[in-house]
Amino acid sequence: MTGAKQKQAPQKEYDDIPGTFVFDADRSRQGYHINMFCMSLMKAENRKAFKANEGEYLDRFPLTSEQRQAILQRNYNRMLELGGNIYFTAKLGATDGHSFQHMAAVMTGSTQEDYAKMMLAGGRSIEGNRSKSKPEGRTEPASRKPSAKPASKRRTRAGSKRG
């Protein structure tokens, strides 16, 4: 079943972080069928069937046309945007014989060697990679101090409650 319509996730305060697709509850629901497809690749017989005829295999899942296209093109960033979970989509990369490092390099538009060098040097710069807006009324988080629990709620070393 192709071309199924799925509801677009509402705009969230973190949706404006460049190149970042937070896998939250809405995105999870949106990408359920992408992720179920990717999980199916854990079985050897499914990997074999997928590699034999990718389009026919994808017909087993009610993907949107955009999700189907992203899978066929191995556009991992688009799969994440459409609700794919990085750990599930990595199974597609593994089916193609690619390491996670290779996939990450492709997703960042670099070579695997350049990606490895960047990560060993401390990762990408945060400059230009933060939220472009700050919701009104939101303040910076205050430092948290551990709150004292009443004795009746504390646990002993053995893990049982006192009192």
Side-chain angles (χ1 to χ4, degrees):
M1 175 182 192
T2 61
K5 279 286 184 192
Q6 290 183 353
K7 214 165 98 173
Q8 190 70 338
Q11 190 75 6
K12 305 255 177 46
E13 68 181 75
Y14 46 73
D15 281 345
D16 67 348
I17 302 171
T20 301
F21 307 108
V22 176
F23 189 73
D24 60 9
D26 291 324
R27 194 157 266 125
S28 173
R29 284 187 289 277
Q30 178 189 14
Y32 179 80
H33 298 293
I34 291 176
N35 296 318
M36 291 303 97
F37 152 70
C38 291
M39 288 298 291
S40 77
L41 298 176
M42 291 180 66
K43 294 184 177 179
E45 64 268 19
N46 291 341
R47 291 190 299 272
K48 184 177 178 181
F50 175 67
K51 295 305 280 178
N53 189 328
E54 293 183 3
E56 185 178 290
Y57 187 81
L58 289 177
D59 288 341
R60 300 179 186 185
F61 302 88
L63 301 161
T64 66
S65 59
E66 293 87 3
Q67 290 171 332
R68 183 182 177 93
Q69 182 179 10
I71 292 167
L72 292 171
Q73 293 176 347
R74 303 307 195 264
N75 186 336
Y76 295 102
N77 287 328
R78 183 73 173 137
M79 283 188 261
L80 298 184
E81 182 180 9
L82 296 171
N85 178 291
I86 188 64
Y87 298 107
F88 295 149
T89 57
K91 295 179 186 339
L92 176 57
T95 296
D96 290 337
H98 299 301
S99 68
F100 194 84
Q101 184 176 357
H102 168 85
M103 289 177 54
V106 168
M107 293 170 74
T108 58
S110 66
T111 66
Q112 192 169 336
E113 182 180 350
D114 287 344
Y115 178 79
K117 285 179 187 175
M118 175 191 65
M119 294 307 291
L120 289 170
R124 69 179 181 167
S125 167
I126 60 170
E127 294 307 315
N129 293 309
R130 292 183 175 195
S131 176
K132 298 195 181 300
S133 64
K134 185 175 175 183
E136 278 187 49
R138 185 171 158 199
T139 59
E140 294 300 319
S143 62
R144 293 184 179 181
K145 293 181 183 176
S147 59
K149 290 184 179 179
S152 63
K153 298 290 182 185
R154 289 189 210 136
R155 299 202 179 261
T156 64
R157 287 185 190 183
S160 63
K161 289 184 181 180
R162 290 184 184 171

